[in-house]
């Protein structure tokens, strides 16, 4: 519908006549907000980041940084967006706008060199600046030397907030200094005050241009009915996968159905027997709401892409694509998770170990959605997630291994091991589990089981790693786990 609108820097702006596949990045640049840049068009560089008002965890609203290059503009119908231009406050008549504190620190500390990436850094930094509880009583720091550790400043600033922003001039030190120098938002800061109000409610959207449609329904039942009628429709939540297809491979869809704001897919419940996680909750929301209650997930999140991606990506999307190199499936396999699949005719629960049937294929039927992920309780006490990749952050796994072990009186009572990147689907290392269970947790047992693990799957050679390297890393991951846990387990 032509009434679809986005509030950009406080001003309502119609989305029409943009095509339904038009990204927020291209939409904003058409409106003259050219601070938002295209660098990679894949969500890896962060030059396009903007702030979006989203339901908060500790306050009614959080300012969340997202990759504008991936999100369809129609997905933000009825929502609020702030660009780098909108961070500056209006000055007196005839005077230029005053710089935002983040912009000021980036300027005085030399955080901008060629300047191409700077607006994206500023927006990601502003999201962390406004994170509730970041610094209740902090004074601006004079330099990074006084930081608590390499990635957290004395002002509570978490540098992981910038893990999805790349500087082409390699000017990270002054950017880090700027991040560690910002204080707490002033009481009169309008964006800080905005956090105390509810975010815009999700609105039903039926945006149609030139025969292509972007649809968002109010309820899960309505959405499932659309998928029954249009099984060819592309389903998106954070659009972190589909956005790449649109940008890099020029994919287009006659119908895109958004599910990211469906209330039925955004619940998180911690019960006596299970933790149920809504499939449309973003990874950042899950991380902050669980607050470490599932340690294996807590270990996964910082290694999953970048904060910008985690602000949009969902477990439902990561599992729904069926990728053999997704980071969440190995963890969820080790946790013995199951999926709640919802269709127009009802729901069914499927163990994740039975979900994948082939390369990017699953038991999910046409018209079905992943509604939730269920993790059974109690949790295994010994867990670890090992991601082998070329970069520490913001990278795709060559191999991913997740462990969940129960060790009692020095013996392995139960072992669950999930693997990614070594077969056409994520898999359980069943033979290795059997080689561990019922045996003493000793160097001899682990070395023998590591040889079994090294032979699991059918790894292939590609530009990320050779088959031999992947196999070697499987064995090494178990040896590493033993080295990290043997003293704690024996004590």
């Amino acid at each position: 519908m032509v009434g679809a609108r986005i509030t950009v820097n406080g001003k309502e702006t119609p989305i029409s006549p943009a095509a339904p596949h038009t990204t927020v990045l291209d939409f904003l640049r058409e409106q003259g907000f050219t601070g938002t840049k295209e660098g990679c068009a894949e969500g890896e560089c962060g030059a396009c980041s903007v702030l979006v008002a989203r339901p908060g965890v500790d306050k009614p609203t959080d300012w969340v940084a997202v990759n504008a290059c991936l999100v369809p503009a129609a997905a933000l119908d009825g929502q609020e967006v702030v660009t780098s231009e909108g961070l500056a406050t209006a000055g007196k008549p005839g005077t230029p706008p005053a710089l935002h504190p983040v912009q000021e620190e980036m300027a005085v500390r030399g955080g901008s060199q060629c300047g191409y990436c700077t607006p994206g850094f500023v927006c990601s930094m502003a999201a962390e600046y406004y994170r509730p509880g970041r610094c209740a009583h902090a004074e601006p720091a004079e330099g990074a030397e006084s930081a608590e550790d390499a990635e957290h400043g004395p002002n509570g600033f978490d540098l992981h907030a910038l893990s999805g922003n790349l500087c082409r001039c390699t000017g990270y030190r002054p950017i880090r200094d700027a991040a560690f120098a910002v204080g707490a938002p002033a009481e009169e800061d309008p964006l800080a005050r905005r956090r105390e109000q509810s975010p815009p409610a999700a609105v039903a959207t039926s945006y149609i241009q030139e025969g292509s449609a972007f649809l968002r329904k109010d309820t899960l039942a309505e959405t499932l009915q659309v998928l029954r009628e249009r099984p060819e429709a592309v389903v998106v939540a954070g659009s972190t996968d589909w956005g790449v297809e649109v940008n890099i491979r020029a994919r287009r869809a006659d119908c895109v159905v958004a599910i990211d704001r469906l209330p039925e897919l955004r619940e998180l419940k911690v019960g006596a027997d299970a933790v149920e996680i809504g499939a449309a909750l973003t990874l950042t929301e899950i991380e902050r709401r669980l607050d470490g209650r599932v340690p294996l997930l807590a270990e996964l999140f910082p290694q999953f892409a970048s904060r910008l991606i985690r602000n949009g990506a969902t477990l439902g999307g990561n599992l729904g694509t069926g990728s053999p190199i997704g980071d969440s499936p190995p963890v969820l396999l080790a946790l013995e998770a199951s999926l709640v699949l919802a269709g127009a005719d009802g729901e069914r629960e499927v163990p994740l170990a039975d979900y994948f049937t082939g390369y990017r294929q699953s038991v999910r039927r046409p018209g079905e959605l992943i509604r939730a992920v269920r993790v059974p309780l109690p949790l295994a006490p010994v867990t670890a997630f090992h991601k082998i990749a070329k970069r520490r952050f913001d990278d795709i796994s060559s191999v991913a291994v997740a462990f969940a072990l129960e060790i009692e009186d020095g013996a392995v009572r139960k072992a669950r091991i999930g693997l990614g990147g070594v077969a056409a689907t994520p898999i359980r290392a069943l033979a290795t589990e059997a080689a561990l269970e019922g045996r003493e947790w000793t160097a001899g047992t682990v070395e023998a089981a590591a040889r079994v693990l090294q032979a699991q799957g059918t790894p292939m050679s590609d530009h990320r790693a050779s088959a031999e390297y992947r196999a070697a890393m499987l064995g090494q991951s178990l040896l590493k786990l033993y080295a990290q846990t043997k003293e704690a387990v024996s004590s």
Side-chain angles (χ1 to χ4, degrees):
M1 63 182 181
V2 295
R5 293 172 176 270
I6 303 174
T7 297
V8 181
N9 298 334
K11 179 182 177 182
E12 275 199 345
T13 307
I15 296 174
S16 179
H21 68 265
T22 301
T23 64
V24 173
L25 165 65
D26 289 339
F27 170 77
L28 290 173
R29 292 185 64 83
E30 283 294 320
Q31 305 304 314
F33 298 108
T34 53
T36 309
K37 301 289 197 294
E38 178 179 302
C40 66
E42 294 183 282
E44 290 191 2
C45 75
C48 66
S49 72
V50 297
L51 297 176
V52 179
R54 291 267 178 84
V57 176
D58 300 310
K59 287 184 177 291
T61 290
D62 281 346
W63 286 112
V64 176
V66 300
N67 288 296
C69 73
L70 298 179
V71 182
L76 296 186
D77 179 21
Q79 304 301 299
E80 296 178 32
V81 174
V82 174
T83 70
S84 57
E85 295 93 339
L87 287 171
T89 57
K92 296 179 181 179
T95 64
L99 289 178
H100 186 276
V102 166
Q103 295 170 321
E104 177 73 21
E105 292 297 344
M106 284 284 279
V108 301
R109 295 174 191 275
S112 175
Q113 293 188 36
C114 81
Y116 193 91
C117 68
T118 304
F121 267 100
V122 163
C123 285
S124 293
M125 198 178 293
E128 177 67 4
Y129 176 76
Y130 288 116
R131 177 169 60 84
R134 174 184 60 83
C135 62
H137 309 289
E139 293 293 329
E142 285 303 320
E145 284 71 18
S146 58
E148 296 173 3
D149 59 52
E151 294 173 352
H152 294 83
N155 56 357
F157 196 100
D158 182 358
L159 281 182
H160 285 285
L162 306 181
S163 61
N165 295 84
L166 303 182
C167 172
R168 293 154 183 79
C169 306
T170 66
Y172 292 108
R173 178 57 186 263
I175 294 171
R176 179 176 180 265
D177 290 347
F180 286 175
V182 294
E187 290 185 7
E188 65 274 14
D189 185 321
L191 294 182
R193 293 202 310 267
R194 175 66 185 83
R195 299 176 302 178
E196 306 300 330
Q197 305 165 13
S198 297
V203 298
T205 300
S206 180
Y207 185 73
I208 301 173
Q209 293 283 344
E210 299 180 358
S212 296
F214 184 96
L215 307 177
R216 171 180 280 115
K217 296 298 181 180
D218 287 321
T219 68
L220 176 59
E222 292 175 295
T223 302
L224 293 173
Q225 187 57 40
V226 170
L227 296 179
R228 168 178 272 182
E229 296 168 358
R230 304 192 68 166
E232 82 289 352
V234 172
V235 176
V236 299
S239 201
T240 55
D241 188 76
W242 177 246
V244 176
E245 295 290 318
V246 169
N247 292 337
I248 303 302
R249 297 183 176 88
R251 291 277 302 278
R252 301 292 182 261
D254 292 336
C255 181
V256 172
V257 178
I259 61 171
D260 56 311
R261 303 300 296 274
L262 290 176
E264 299 94 334
L265 273 64
R266 291 186 49 78
E267 297 178 340
L268 193 152
K269 303 174 184 177
V270 180
D273 300 322
V275 176
E276 183 168 302
I277 304 169
L281 287 169
T282 69
L283 300 185
T284 293
E285 289 174 318
I286 299 168
E287 178 183 17
R288 291 178 177 167
R289 292 187 188 186
L290 284 178
D291 194 23
R293 280 180 285 188
V294 182
L296 190 51
L297 284 175
E299 191 171 349
L300 159 71
F301 291 135
Q303 300 181 67
F304 191 112
S306 67
R307 177 62 70 192
L308 280 170
I309 292 295
R310 296 196 297 275
N311 286 343
T314 64
L315 285 183
N318 203 227
L319 296 168
T321 62
S323 171
I325 53 173
D327 283 342
S328 72
V331 168
L332 295 172
L333 284 168
L335 291 171
E336 297 187 280
S338 61
L339 306 184
V340 180
L341 303 180
D345 296 324
E347 291 186 351
R348 61 191 179 114
E349 187 171 351
V350 176
L352 182 60
D354 299 331
Y355 174 74
F356 300 104
T357 58
Y359 179 72
R360 291 190 179 272
Q361 296 176 337
S362 72
V363 299
R364 188 161 49 89
R365 300 164 185 156
E368 278 189 324
L369 292 175
I370 302 172
R371 183 183 66 76
V373 176
R374 285 183 180 152
V375 176
L377 298 175
L379 301 169
V382 178
T383 60
F385 175 64
H386 296 165
K387 175 173 178 172
I388 294 90
K390 292 186 175 181
R391 298 193 302 257
R392 284 186 66 203
F393 305 114
D394 200 15
D395 201 3
I396 294 173
S397 295
S398 298
V399 178
V401 187
F403 299 97
L405 307 180
E406 295 180 19
I407 303 175
E408 296 179 358
D409 300 324
V412 181
R413 191 183 75 82
K414 183 177 179 181
R416 294 294 180 265
I417 304 172
L419 307 179
V422 295
T425 69
I427 60 173
R428 279 261 304 275
L430 298 175
T432 307
E433 294 172 3
L436 288 171
E437 290 180 346
R439 292 173 171 82
E440 297 293 315
W441 184 243
T442 63
T445 297
V446 172
E447 288 169 3
R451 290 192 290 272
V452 176
L453 182 56
Q454 195 165 320
Q456 298 261 245
T458 54
M460 60 180 287
S461 296
D462 59 18
H463 64 284
R464 293 191 184 92
S466 67
E468 293 78 10
Y469 177 81
R470 287 186 162 101
M473 288 303 98
L474 289 178
Q476 285 297 116
S477 66
L478 185 55
L479 298 176
K480 178 181 178 180
L481 176 69
Y482 178 70
Q484 292 174 330
T485 62
K486 60 180 179 180
E487 292 185 4
V489 170
S490 61
S491 62

